Amino acid sequence: MKKKVATILLLLIGSLFVSGNQSPVIWEAKVPGIVESVKLTPKGAYVGFGYIDVISGVLWYRGNVSLYSLNGSEEWSQEVGFVRKLESFDDMLIVGTDISRGPSDWFGALGKVWLLQGNGSIVAGNITYGSFFDFDLKDALYVVDGWWVGEGRANETWGRLYRWEIAEDGIKQDWFIELNGTLGRVRRGDGIIYAGSGAPSGYRIKYYFGNVYGVSEDGKLLWSVDTEWWVRDLELWRDKALVGTGFENVAGKLFLIDKEGKIEWKMDSFYIEDIEINGDTAYIGGIEGNTGKLEALDLNSQKVLWKAELPYRVKVVRFHEGKLLVGTGAFREENGTIYDMGCSLNDNYRNI
C-alpha cells in the first residue's frame, strides 16, 4: 500500500495570531504517514505518525515517533507502530500505538504502549489486546483499548480499561477490567476513573451505542450511563465528566456526569469531536452536516457564549494563552476512515 505523506508545520505561537501576510510557519518537514500526535517541550517537538501496510490480508500499522529540534532538524526517530497519543513524563516519553488490525474484516487486534527515554531508546512496552485509543497519566497510567467484529452491533464490541504502574525498569500491570463497547476515552478523577465507549474519534461503524462507565480505584465497575450515541470525547470539570457524543455527522449531546453516575444536566449539540476546558468554559468542536462547528459554552449556566462555523470538521481544539488553536479536516472513507485535508484557525478568523 502506498504511504501517505504528511507535512509537519511548526507554528510559533507568538506569531500565529498576527494580521497581514506574515507567515507563522518557521519550518516544515515531510513524514511518510499521517501525523496524529505532537508534543512541544523545551527539548523540541515530539511527533508521532503512522501508515498502514497490507501483507497477506493482514493490516499492519507502522509508524515512528521522532524528535525535531525547534530549528527543524530531526534529532532521532524510533519505529513503534501507528502513533495515536504521546506525552512527556519526567525525562521520558509515553507513546500509545496500534500495531496490527488483523484480517481486513476484523477490527482491532493489537496495540502497544511504549516507554521511551529522552534519546528515543525503548525502555519497555505493554501490549493492549485491542486497538489502543487513549491513556491518562495521573497517579498511574490508565489505558483503554477496544475492538469489534461484524457490523459493530453493541454485542459485537468490547474494550478494556487497564491500570499500569510506571517504574524505572518498565511498565507493570496492576489490574484491568473488560467492559462492553469499544473504549475510546479515559480520564482519572478523584476516587473514580471515567471511561467512554462507542466508535472512537476517527472511525465509523454501522450501529450507534455509547456508555460512560465509572470504575473504582481497584478496578471494579461502579455504574454505567447509557448515552445512546458514541462517546467522542470526555474531559473533567470540577472532577465530573463532561461527555460529548455524536450521531451521523449531524447531531450530538453533551452530558455532565458526577462520580456517582448521576447526570447533572444534558443538552443537545452538533456532532462533537473534541472538548477543551479552560476554567469554567468549554470549547467544543465538531461538525453539523458538512459544516465545521466551534462553540464556547459557560459550564455554570450551560449558555453558549459564541459560535463559529469553519471549513471541514473541527477535529482538535486547544487553548493557549487566551487563544484557541483549532485543527480541521475533511472526513472520508477509503481503506478505513481518514482525514485528507485541513486547515488551522488563527486570529484573523476569530480572536477571543
Side-chain angles (χ1 to χ4, degrees):
M1 180 177 179
K2 185 179 179 180
K3 299 176 185 177
K4 292 186 176 292
V5 176
T7 300
I8 306 166
L9 300 176
L10 181 64
L11 305 179
L12 179 62
I13 300 301
S15 299
L16 177 60
F17 303 102
V18 296
S19 300
N21 297 322
Q22 181 180 348
S23 173
V25 178
I26 302 174
W27 54 262
E28 66 179 76
K30 295 187 184 299
V31 298
I34 299 170
V35 176
E36 291 236 346
S37 300
V38 176
K39 179 72 175 181
L40 291 178
T41 74
K43 291 183 177 180
Y46 292 101
V47 178
F49 64 87
Y51 59 91
I52 304 172
D53 272 345
V54 182
I55 303 174
S56 300
V58 177
L59 303 181
W60 293 99
Y61 273 46
R62 316 286 193 187
N64 289 39
V65 59
S66 304
L67 174 64
Y68 289 84
S69 70
L70 295 182
N71 64 15
S73 61
E74 184 180 83
E75 301 296 307
W76 54 258
S77 188
Q78 179 67 256
E79 185 175 357
V80 288
F82 197 115
V83 179
R84 297 293 185 194
K85 185 171 184 176
L86 58 84
E87 289 289 346
S88 56
F89 171 68
D90 292 337
D91 292 328
M92 296 186 173
L93 199 66
I94 299 173
V95 183
T97 69
D98 269 354
I99 299 174
S100 169
R101 293 288 169 115
S104 58
D105 60 350
W106 180 287
F107 182 93
L110 200 62
K112 198 164 188 177
V113 178
W114 300 93
L115 181 63
L116 275 63
Q117 291 182 346
N119 62 5
S121 62
I122 292 175
V123 176
N126 264 26
I127 291 289
T128 64
Y129 291 94
S131 291
F132 165 84
F133 288 116
D134 194 22
F135 65 71
D136 195 22
L137 179 62
K138 294 291 174 62
D139 58 314
L141 183 63
Y142 298 88
V143 178
V144 288
D145 69 4
W147 62 102
W148 66 74
V149 295
E151 295 179 319
R153 296 180 178 88
N155 62 353
E156 295 177 332
T157 64
W158 304 266
R160 286 183 176 181
L161 164 62
Y162 307 81
R163 186 185 191 274
W164 294 339
E165 297 285 351
I166 300 177
E168 291 184 359
D169 57 345
I171 305 173
K172 300 178 180 179
Q173 181 168 288
D174 186 3
W175 51 256
F176 74 85
I177 181 173
E178 189 166 308
L179 300 167
N180 188 47
T182 302
L183 301 181
R185 287 291 182 271
V186 60
R187 294 294 179 266
R188 171 69 152 97
D190 183 12
I192 190 82
I193 301 104
Y194 298 99
S197 73
S201 181
Y203 298 92
R204 296 188 64 190
I205 56 179
K206 183 175 180 179
Y207 292 92
Y208 287 85
F209 54 87
N211 285 85
V212 176
Y213 297 102
V215 177
S216 68
E217 294 177 307
D218 59 352
K220 303 296 191 299
L221 178 63
L222 301 176
W223 49 261
S224 67
V225 173
D226 185 355
T227 60
E228 297 183 358
W229 300 337
W230 304 329
V231 173
R232 306 297 279 184
D233 201 11
L234 186 160
E235 300 295 344
L236 298 184
W237 179 65
R238 298 184 179 180
D239 210 41
K240 301 168 185 177
L242 184 65
V243 180
T245 69
F247 173 79
E248 283 297 340
N249 288 353
V250 295
K253 290 184 183 295
L254 197 66
F255 298 79
L256 185 67
I257 302 173
D258 69 16
K259 64 174 60 179
E260 305 300 325
K262 176 185 175 183
I263 299 176
E264 294 202 356
W265 51 260
K266 66 179 179 179
M267 58 186 296
D268 293 332
S269 185
F270 44 78
Y271 183 101
I272 295 172
E273 283 280 14
D274 195 38
I275 300 171
E276 175 82 343
I277 297 176
N278 181 64
D280 293 333
T281 302
Y283 300 98
I284 303 165
I287 192 169
E288 189 172 49
N290 295 317
T291 304
K293 293 286 187 175
L294 177 68
E295 71 178 24
L297 179 72
D298 184 314
L299 293 172
N300 289 305
S301 65
Q302 296 96 63
K303 291 184 179 179
V304 175
L305 302 176
W306 54 259
K307 297 181 179 180
E309 294 186 353
L310 286 84
Y312 319 124
R313 175 187 309 254
V314 176
K315 182 65 171 62
V316 180
V317 184
R318 293 293 179 266
F319 186 89
H320 179 80
E321 296 182 356
K323 309 283 187 177
L324 286 182
L325 301 177
V326 182
T328 71
F331 196 50
R332 64 187 173 93
E333 293 186 43
E334 179 182 317
N335 299 318
T337 300
I338 62 172
Y339 294 85
D340 67 338
M341 64 183 71
C343 67
S344 62
L345 173 67
N346 62 25
D347 190 51
N348 296 328
Y349 189 89
R350 177 88 191 185
N351 185 357
I352 61 171

